[in-house]
Amino acid sequence: MTTTDYDVVVAGAGPVGLFLACELRLGGARVLVVERLAEVDETIKAGAINIPSAVALYRRGLLPELAAVWEAALERIRAFRGEGAEDRMPPRFAGHFAGIPMDKTLFDGSDPAWAEAGPAADSGLGVPQAALERILARRAERLGVEVRRGVELTGFDAGADGVAVHTGRGTVRAGWLVGCDGGRSTVRQTAGFDFPGTDPEITGYQAIVELTGGERLREGWNTTDTGTYVHGPFPGRILTVEFDGPPADRTAPITAEELQAALRRVAQVPEVTITKVLSATRFTDNARQAADYRKGRVLLAGDAAHVHSPFGGQGLNLGLGDAMNLGWKLAAVVRGHAPESLLDTYTAERHPLGTWVLDWTRAQIAVMRPDRHARALRRVVTDLALTTTGTTYFVTKISGVWQRYDLPGEHPLTGASAPDLELSDGSRLGDHLHTGRALLLDLADDPGVCARAEGYGDRLEVRTLACPTRPGLGALFVRPDGFVAWAADKAAEAVETKDLPEVLERWLGARADAA
């Protein structure tokens, strides 16, 4: 195409699409988001974010808004749990595995990764998906992202130099198209991405309802002879899982009678009656992942790239991680700073995490089945989980604090999410990532570090500051997504920076003054 209306069109204005659009805009791209729904979808979905998500949003200055939503959620939980609620509040990031709750008193948080996550690790951040979507919509508006609601993507034609995106209100031309349009992604299906995986075997419901007889339901996660159910942690919230195959029609309206029948079967409480449905959704354990997240000018992120059961609350978090990883890379390619080959690192870095999440959810299904073999396995897993080592393992995995990328380099920090260092000017490392630029921190006051970074203009922020809590660390190069791509310790005379120019060029492209 000789001309384009936008650098990137993002299909889908859920949290992943909006977050990606914000990241692209920070990087200088012209972005259009198209969304078939006219308003934010208030259907009950994900209800919490993990540490990588909280840290990513903190690095963009959104932690105060998230914390306010979490405080409101805590009030609802206290109202549901009544007298003595403070003693029974959910532990931060503890969660559950296959409905086996973690005991926060057994958790060993001595791993430095917990402390180095910064303020984001100190918040519970139970954030409903709809609330997060509204926060990101406001941010997109502040950044100047154009969002068109009530506009459905109907198809597209992708060529070597751009994409013609067809919608119910006409065609727009873009350099790139990213599908963030959910598990039934039109973008994925139209482009013909391979989507291998495993078929579903459960029918699950999650809902907010008004009911009578609820005092007979046990609070929290419960396993019975016929499946699993959840009551709480706030008024009217229920969840059921039955292992009798997937629903005949996932898109049919969900009735009070349908929810009531499932709840009575699983909870084995015939007296419970659902009088009104406020919000409800069906789900299965269909687990599939795109073999590659890019086909030419078309890319996928979030549920468009991977689907799985909701157990462990990994789906929203996985999608936000996709957006944080892809946004700055695609913006760099759009602006001509980086070659298209930079986009190859998107699949290379995110696909392994997606594979892990799918297997993590599959393992939970295996432990939740009602057959005798699975119940025997469940007792063994429960025994292991109720040890300090077991609890620490599960909580660490659920929290996502372990996640890192396989990047070239020998330093232990390379490939890890950057520690939120407390710096000598009173700031923290995360404070320097609000703009979405890469960051080079000279912690040793070594002129050689800054000299190596000349010529990158607004792509790179360079700061010379000390870090009293990490006196041996000499310098850090942090990518725009907050991951360390290069680090060096202090040497006797100077920080060793001979490989820094190659690293900067790999992630930021050639210097502006390069021949």
Side-chain angles (χ1 to χ4, degrees):
M1 294 182 182
T2 56
T3 61
T4 59
D5 300 310
Y6 300 92
D7 295 319
V8 184
V9 169
V10 176
V16 175
L18 289 171
F19 192 37
L20 174 62
C22 291
E23 290 300 294
L24 287 164
R25 192 73 195 98
L26 279 181
R30 296 170 298 146
V31 189
L32 169 67
V33 181
V34 293
E35 168 58 55
R36 65 179 181 83
L37 298 178
E39 303 290 342
V40 172
D41 185 0
E42 299 291 344
T43 303
I44 181 171
K45 295 180 181 178
I49 57 175
N50 66 7
I51 285 185
S53 296
V55 168
L57 295 164
Y58 155 65
R59 286 169 173 163
R60 298 302 187 249
L62 295 173
L63 194 59
E65 290 181 78
L66 295 169
V69 172
W70 173 230
E71 285 303 316
L74 287 177
E75 289 303 314
R76 297 176 67 196
I77 296 172
R78 293 186 183 101
F80 175 74
R81 297 191 167 178
E83 187 176 350
E86 291 298 332
D87 296 330
R88 296 181 290 116
M89 293 301 286
R92 290 171 179 165
F93 300 107
H96 70 91
F97 180 83
I100 302 168
M102 300 295 113
D103 183 346
K104 63 182 177 181
T105 65
L106 296 174
F107 173 64
D108 177 6
S110 60
D111 187 329
W114 289 91
E116 291 181 340
D122 295 330
S123 303
L125 293 182
V127 180
Q129 184 166 321
L132 178 58
E133 186 174 324
R134 285 190 290 271
I135 289 172
L136 292 172
R138 291 193 294 269
R139 175 170 172 77
E141 183 177 8
R142 292 194 298 268
L143 291 173
V145 174
E146 184 177 349
V147 179
R148 297 184 191 173
R149 289 192 170 272
V151 177
E152 184 172 6
L153 180 146
T154 57
F156 58 86
D157 297 302
D161 57 352
V163 186
V165 181
H166 310 305
T167 77
R169 298 188 183 178
T171 297
V172 295
R173 296 164 298 176
W176 302 82
L177 171 65
V178 186
C180 300
D181 51 342
R184 302 180 183 89
S185 169
T186 298
V187 173
R188 185 190 67 238
Q189 295 178 44
T190 302
F193 283 85
D194 291 333
F195 202 49
T198 51
D199 293 331
E201 60 182 80
I202 70 168
T203 293
Y205 299 96
Q206 182 176 203
I208 304 294
V209 300
E210 293 178 3
L211 52 79
T212 61
E215 67 278 1
R216 300 290 304 276
L217 298 172
R218 295 191 300 272
E219 185 183 310
W221 285 82
N222 301 278
T223 299
T224 71
D225 293 339
T226 52
T228 296
Y229 81 92
V230 181
H231 184 214
F234 46 82
R237 189 256 183 165
I238 61 169
L239 181 148
T240 65
V241 180
E242 295 178 272
F243 288 79
D244 55 356
D249 183 0
R250 280 193 62 187
T251 63
I254 301 173
T255 65
E257 292 75 18
E258 183 180 358
L259 288 173
Q260 178 178 286
L263 185 57
R264 286 180 175 181
R265 284 193 302 268
V266 178
Q268 300 173 2
V269 178
E271 299 87 352
V272 67
T273 299
I274 294 177
T275 58
K276 186 176 183 179
V277 179
L278 303 177
S279 176
T281 183
R282 293 184 188 88
F283 62 87
T284 74
D285 59 323
N286 182 38
R288 299 185 178 278
Q289 182 181 24
D292 197 310
Y293 292 176
R294 178 191 173 200
K295 263 196 165 189
R297 294 268 174 162
V298 181
L299 300 105
L300 303 176
D303 289 350
H306 35 69
V307 295
H308 50 82
S309 79
F311 302 127
Q314 299 291 332
L316 173 60
N317 296 297
L318 186 59
L320 292 173
D322 292 346
M324 191 73 163
N325 186 284
L326 174 60
W328 67 275
K329 294 175 180 176
L330 184 52
V333 172
V334 163
R335 292 184 65 190
H337 295 315
E340 285 190 22
S341 59
L342 178 63
L343 297 176
D344 295 338
T345 67
Y346 171 53
T347 297
E349 292 175 3
R350 295 303 301 174
H351 199 277
L353 289 177
T355 300
W356 177 86
V357 167
L358 264 65
D359 281 345
W360 183 256
T361 60
R362 288 184 181 115
Q364 292 181 79
I365 292 295
V367 175
M368 293 173 73
R369 291 187 183 118
D371 63 84
R372 292 186 66 181
H373 290 82
R375 291 299 161 87
L377 175 63
R378 185 180 187 85
R379 288 190 287 271
V380 173
V381 174
T382 300
D383 286 345
L384 291 172
L386 295 178
T387 65
T388 295
T389 300
T391 295
T392 302
Y393 168 82
F394 282 114
V395 172
T396 299
K397 291 295 187 182
I398 293 166
S399 73
V401 74
W402 58 276
Q403 295 179 9
R404 60 186 298 143
Y405 297 137
D406 184 14
L407 302 184
E410 301 298 324
H411 196 279
L413 286 176
T414 301
S417 180
D420 196 43
L421 304 176
E422 298 180 34
L423 303 171
S424 55
D425 66 348
S427 67
R428 304 183 71 101
L429 186 145
D431 297 328
H432 298 274
L433 296 175
H434 290 188
T435 62
R437 290 188 292 173
L439 173 67
L440 180 63
L441 269 180
D442 169 19
L443 300 170
D445 196 13
D446 186 336
V449 174
C450 297
R452 296 281 196 177
E454 293 177 353
Y456 284 98
D458 66 354
R459 286 175 276 170
L460 179 64
E461 177 182 349
V462 182
R463 297 298 302 271
T464 299
L465 294 165
C467 178
T469 58
R470 295 287 289 264
L473 189 59
L476 276 181
F477 169 59
V478 182
R479 303 188 323 188
D481 59 355
F483 280 77
V484 178
W486 174 86
D489 292 326
K490 291 180 181 177
E493 296 182 0
V495 175
E496 179 55 67
T497 60
K498 65 180 181 180
D499 54 346
L500 179 57
E502 179 182 351
V503 173
L504 292 175
E505 184 172 354
R506 171 182 173 85
W507 298 112
L508 301 181
R511 300 186 316 179
D513 58 354

